[in-house]
């Protein structure tokens, strides 16, 4: 992926109709991506662990700005499954398809383990596109779930994703 595509993908991920992360700007996202602090959308939830890496940050990233941003990121973790499906960038999935996905898979962990046939009610072409995207991008979606849902404390979480 080129850098601008990654920036746009993350801008969409943090937007109001997705994770609704307040107090984050295009310039900040661009800086984080270009500094290799964010590669996948789920990496935004790992920024709080990288504070040492951004000590030589631009002047606009003051301690107050950083604290406000990390607080907004934490608050955004309380998200509905519908908005979660919308935010991950599945092909052909806006709010209406996200509602249908939510009806099929109320928990995203079940979606991550679904077969192409499980998606066929969305239409064959859409099912194929969603399934291929899911299989290609599954690794960071699992990380996303760990970040927003404390799945690591579940005994069977790793079996779910094998």
């Amino acid at each position: 992926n080129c850098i601008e595509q990654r920036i746009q993908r993350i801008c969409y991920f943090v937007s109001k109709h997705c994770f609704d992360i307040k107090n984050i700007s295009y310039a900040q996202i661009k800086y984080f991506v270009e500094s290799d602090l964010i590669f996948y959308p789920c990496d935004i939830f790992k920024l709080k662990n990288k504070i040492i890496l951004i000590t030589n940050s631009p002047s606009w990233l003051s301690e107050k700005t950083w604290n406000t941003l990390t607080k907004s990121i934490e608050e955004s973790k309380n998200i509905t499954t519908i908005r979660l499906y919308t935010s991950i960038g599945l092909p052909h999935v806006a709010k209406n398809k996200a509602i249908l996905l939510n009806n099929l898979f109320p928990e995203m962990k079940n979606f991550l383990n679904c077969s192409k046939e499980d998606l066929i009610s969305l239409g064959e072409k859409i099912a194929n596109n969603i399934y291929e995207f899911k299989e290609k991008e599954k690794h960071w979606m699992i990380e996303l779930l760990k970040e927003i849902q404390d799945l690591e404390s579940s005994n069977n979480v790793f079996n779910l994703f094998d």
Side-chain angles (χ1 to χ4, degrees), residues 10-143:
I10 293 164
C11 285
Y12 178 75
F13 181 83
V14 304
S15 69
K16 185 175 178 92
H17 61 281
C18 293
F19 267 86
D20 193 21
I21 299 177
K22 295 170 179 47
N23 305 306
I24 191 165
S25 68
Y26 173 87
Q28 290 168 324
I29 291 169
K30 184 176 184 206
Y31 171 78
F32 295 140
V33 169
E34 289 176 345
S35 301
D36 293 324
L37 295 169
I38 295 176
F39 190 86
Y40 297 106
C42 64
D43 294 338
I44 198 139
F45 296 106
K46 298 174 185 175
L47 278 175
K48 66 182 180 286
N49 301 328
K50 298 182 179 183
I51 192 161
I52 294 168
L53 297 173
I54 61 170
T55 53
N56 294 326
S57 62
S59 60
W60 51 258
L61 192 55
S62 67
E63 184 176 351
K64 182 179 178 183
T65 302
W66 176 252
N67 291 336
T68 302
L69 177 58
T70 54
K71 182 179 179 202
S72 294
I73 290 169
E74 284 301 308
E75 289 171 353
S76 75
K77 289 181 178 182
N78 185 18
I79 187 172
T80 66
T81 309
I82 293 169
R83 286 177 61 190
L84 184 58
Y85 284 129
T86 304
S87 71
I88 58 178
L90 294 166
H92 312 289
V93 175
K95 187 174 181 179
N96 290 338
K97 286 283 191 285
I99 291 169
L100 293 175
L101 273 174
N102 185 62
N103 291 338
L104 292 171
F105 310 103
E107 294 185 25
M108 191 175 177
K109 62 185 178 187
N110 297 330
F111 164 73
L112 291 174
N113 290 311
C114 77
S115 68
K116 199 181 297 185
E117 292 74 33
D118 294 331
L119 297 164
I120 207 69
S121 64
L122 301 171
E124 188 174 345
K125 181 180 177 183
I126 292 172
N128 286 335
N129 290 338
I130 290 173
Y131 182 79
E132 288 172 14
F133 179 90
K134 173 189 73 90
E135 290 302 305
K136 181 181 173 196
E137 305 290 331
K138 191 178 200 177
H139 62 284
W140 73 261
M141 290 187 236
I142 292 168
E143 289 301 313

